[in-house]
Amino acid sequence: MTAALFFEQLLNGLQFGVTLFLMAAGLTLVFGVMGLINLAHGSLYMVGAFACAAVAAATGSFWLGLVASIVAAAFAGALIEMTVIRRLYNRDHLDQVLATFALILIFSEGCRFIFGSFPLFLDVPAILAGPITLPGGLPYPIYRLSIIVVGGLVALGLYLLIAKTRLGIRIRAGEADREMIAALGVDIRTLYTIVFALGAGLAGFAGALVGALQSVQVGMGEPVLILAFVVIVIGGIGSIKGALIASILVGIVDTLGRVSLPSLFGLFMDPSAANSIGSSLSSMLIYVLMAVVLIFKPEGLVSQNG
Amino acid sequence: MASLSRETLLNIFLTIGMLALPFVATAIDEPFYITLATRVAILGLAGVGLNLALGTGGLVSFGHAAFFGLGGYAAGILASHALNYTPIMESPFLIEGTNQMLIIWLVAIIVSGIGAYLIGLLSLRTSGVYFIMITLAFAQMIYYFAISWPAYGGEDGLSIYVRNAFPGVNTLDPQGFYFICFALLMAGIWLSATLKNSRFGAALQSARQNEERLSAVGVKPFNIKLTAFVISGMMTGLAGALFADLNRFVSPSMLSWHMSGEIMILVILGGVGRLYGPLAGAIIYIIFEFIFGGMTEHWQFFLGLVLLGVVLFARGGVIGLIAGRARHD
Amino acid sequence: MKHLKKIAASALALSLAATSMAYAGGAKIGMITTLSGGGSGLGIDVRDGFMLAINQSDNKDVEVVIEDDARKPELAVQIADKMIQSEKVDILTGIIWSNLAMAVIPSATAQGKFYLSPNAGPSPLAGKGCHPNYFNVAWQNDNLHEAMGAYANSVGYKNSYILAPNYPAGKDALTGYKRFYEGDLAGEVYTKLGATDYAAEIAQIRASGADSVFFFLPGGMGIAFMKQYAASGVDIPVLGPAFSFDQGILGAVGDAALGVKNSSQWSKDLDNEANKAFVASFQEAYGRLPSLYASQGFDTANLILSALEGADVKDADAFRAALKVAEFDSVRGDFRFGNNQHPIQNIYVREVVKEGDVLTNKIVGLGLEQHQDAYAQECGM
């Protein structure tokens, strides 16, 4: 592999990691504040993508679609928080897993009921289409570069939100001591709804960004959801900083693994067997990474308690 | 005590109903009901396995499909080698395939037991959400391996053209196979009842409730949990082997996280920690799938609603609804 | 939902009319197909094409039972058991995916039922595992890829980069392409099944110096790949089987697909009367253009109807012979079965074009003429 190609794959890994971060941030935020494990996070990602595709098709504007994705997912998030999720905060994780698993079934079939079974069209806006030449003569898709930038901005925004704003203070207080914050007269119910909607909006935003690059269809949230869980477990559940580190780690390990493992095996076996075994192993690689991390740090890289 | 006897009555009723079902189905000429009942018994057994970890041990495993699939593949691989008359391996020593259910079960139990031991060894270092997620991740790992491993069909799966044999029973006859599965389900329920009431069961329950106290009396909670996890995986693995024989087919979908979710749903629908919970849950799940699946292609939407309703409003599952709360709730 | 009701209504009418109008022999057909979850677009197309032919027929004694397999093999097996044991169907059909087909077909044919495949054509069932009661009305899985390999030779490609998901159908696809393609390989890559980000692979393609890219990535994977490929600025020509460029999917791929050559045994613009009538009536009935899958469903139903005219479905030998002669007006023109009861047919090369605002395909050449699959000689029939 040449240095330029290696650098390009590194960028690809970073970009993949950033999209994972957008998913994982909401998931880990909700867990950190409310102690809730939400399998339906992938459904909110799907809601965002469908909203963006529908609005973009109706108005012709990707940007309006992007706004719609955040609004729709945040709205859907607030709705399920007030009707279902709220009842789960004091339950054990098993109940949370099952209730949100039920929500996946409801969202997926509901979405198919409304939009039909065929994938929807959603493309990157014209201004971001095509490649740009990076220093060094490497052509790279503008849209992917934009995702990296946007992901960085979201990470920064979340940091500022949590570190500097009144809402952030409450969120941190909520993580540390729930009784205390209620005693201080903060309306905890509203706070939880806002945090949940914020996480949902992030997921919807990620769905729209990624939907334009990939495909908008029912069930698109599930593979990403599982990856996002891997990310937050590696990062340490509840930690946004951990989620950022872990997403980039997972993105880069996965990308480099799938390009280099087959050729690595090719060094000492025949090419088609190497291809086959190399790609089998690379599809398992991030789970291996997760297992290794948990063996040495059972609470993830950035432990909430440490 | 009144509620306890109601649960016992319900259990007796379920047992008699399951015993009578194949005769009724034959009488009204609906042989397919026997196939459905066989499915109930097998999924029920998988659920009994999970219930041991989940209900008694409080170990929320979201990866039991791994053991279900391992058991299924053990059956599929042995049977396919027996059908093709090819040995599984020749060196360092010869291993041949077989179509004898008893041997297949043994292998399925051992393989899924080893799987559960390895996964448990790593996963049980964590707890809570980490445990849920790491068991899910291990199951996914095996799932992706099965899909991309070409030797036994990959995603296409593996067909068993002729159902495996059991001494003295015609397994091709739906009734014969049903009673084998039902007997194993009953054995599974009996085993988990025995375990629950033994010293081991008491230790497991206190491992769930109060680890420190257990450590204080010199018992390592880790070992207790690991043992429970392995037994639980073995039972689910045995169910997987039966499932392979029922469908005459194994595929990676037996390993998918939806399968883990399904087994978990059975346990919850019936009632966590109840002896007959998984059986009751499997009955409801299969009937639901059968009736609504025939009516609308959106049946999963309604399944979601029902599941949500059970989790939010009927925490003891169906058995809890009928028989009242369990003693220790 | 409109057309669903229509099917329900006509199925009712069919069963009511079962005793009158004996034009040809009746039959009970069980259709197991994917109507919910991922990939359900294909099942819906097969069903709609199939029911269109049934509704157009004068034979009112044909009853069709349709059930959703949700793309789960174990559910498909259960439905097959139910259809055979409870519904007592004569013929089974409808399965979209090879893994579901492998789960259902061997045991269904072993129980004496007929199975007609409107989509999947796994190689074991075409070769050693062929069966007198199993007919494939679509293609053997390798066929469309083989045609693309032949086409690559004919336009002079010498250095192809080929990729497919890491599962049996993906390996069959690349094997099929390589069976006919004579040039060198710039790379051969198996991606994770269900992957939707191909940045890493596209970067490898750019660096590989290939003169053509062949890919088989069904469903959402193909949509994602094409969009990302177009955005990457890599301008190496792309080839693929029809699956990633068919009517149901083109809308989601968008202009990124324009100009791509793909292989198919059917196309909307095939010039024969049956096809013209099919395209027009499908559009009228469902308000959308028919896809490859719809055409396969339509042909499957017409094959069954043609066989029922000459033979009683209860007389297995006669009915089998009537199926085998395949005397029906196929929308793909010439259609006949080989010894293994898989089609011998032309496979065309199509190009994605824009008609007004609608993306669709037009035929630009012939990939393989009267092509038979590679496994036929392994079949003992």
Side-chain angles (χ1 to χ4, degrees), chain C residues 61-291:
Chain C
D61 297 342
V62 175
E63 190 189 341
V64 184
V65 198
I66 302 172
E67 285 225 31
D68 172 26
D69 60 32
R71 203 177 174 173
K72 291 182 185 164
E74 59 280 352
L75 191 55
V77 170
Q78 186 187 326
I79 296 170
D81 280 345
K82 175 169 130 192
M83 285 183 167
I84 293 170
Q85 295 171 359
S86 265
E87 309 266 5
K88 313 235 176 339
V89 299
D90 307 297
I91 303 166
L92 283 168
T93 184
I95 292 176
I96 302 296
W97 316 98
S98 292
N99 56 334
L100 274 68
M102 288 302 293
V104 167
I105 295 172
S107 73
T109 50
Q111 292 175 68
K113 300 297 166 191
F114 284 95
Y115 186 91
L116 282 82
S117 175
N119 198 59
S123 50
L125 297 181
K128 290 197 185 78
C130 66
H131 192 281
N133 282 358
Y134 169 64
F135 290 82
N136 185 308
V137 198
W139 20 254
Q140 196 280 314
N141 280 354
D142 303 3
N143 288 167
L144 301 193
H145 315 297
E146 291 167 340
M148 231 48 239
Y151 172 77
N153 295 334
S154 73
V155 290
Y157 292 139
K158 295 269 180 281
N159 197 19
S160 283
Y161 193 97
I162 59 179
L163 77 162
N166 196 14
Y167 77 126
K171 286 181 186 140
D172 286 354
L174 298 192
T175 312
Y177 183 79
K178 288 188 285 186
R179 189 175 289 132
F180 278 76
Y181 171 67
E182 290 158 357
D184 298 326
L185 290 181
E188 177 175 0
V189 166
Y190 293 102
T191 58
K192 184 165 128 182
L193 187 68
T196 43
D197 195 296
Y198 293 97
E201 287 75 13
I202 291 169
Q204 301 288 93
I205 289 172
R206 189 206 317 271
S208 71
D211 63 0
S212 53
V213 176
F214 172 79
F215 77 95
F216 166 65
L217 295 167
M221 295 184 277
I223 300 175
F225 177 81
M226 277 315 297
K227 280 158 71 173
Q228 292 164 25
Y229 190 80
S232 72
V234 180
D235 51 5
I236 304 167
V238 175
L239 310 170
F243 313 120
S244 295
F245 303 98
D246 207 54
Q247 209 60 53
I249 228 173
L250 271 179
V253 182
D255 288 351
L258 267 181
V260 173
K261 304 285 193 299
N262 63 91
S263 53
S264 172
Q265 84 286 6
W266 174 85
S267 183
K268 181 170 76 61
D269 60 340
L270 263 182
D271 192 17
N272 66 60
E273 289 309 314
N275 194 34
K276 282 178 191 152
F278 163 64
V279 174
S281 58
F282 189 94
Q283 262 184 296
E284 193 196 345
Y286 304 109
R288 64 177 196 270
L289 285 170
S291 69

Side-chain angles (χ1 to χ4, degrees), chain A residues 94-109:
Chain A
L94 177 62
D95 284 354
Q96 298 176 349
V97 164
L98 280 154
T100 53
F101 188 81
L103 284 175
I104 294 184
L105 296 178
I106 293 171
F107 267 107
S108 291
E109 280 310 308

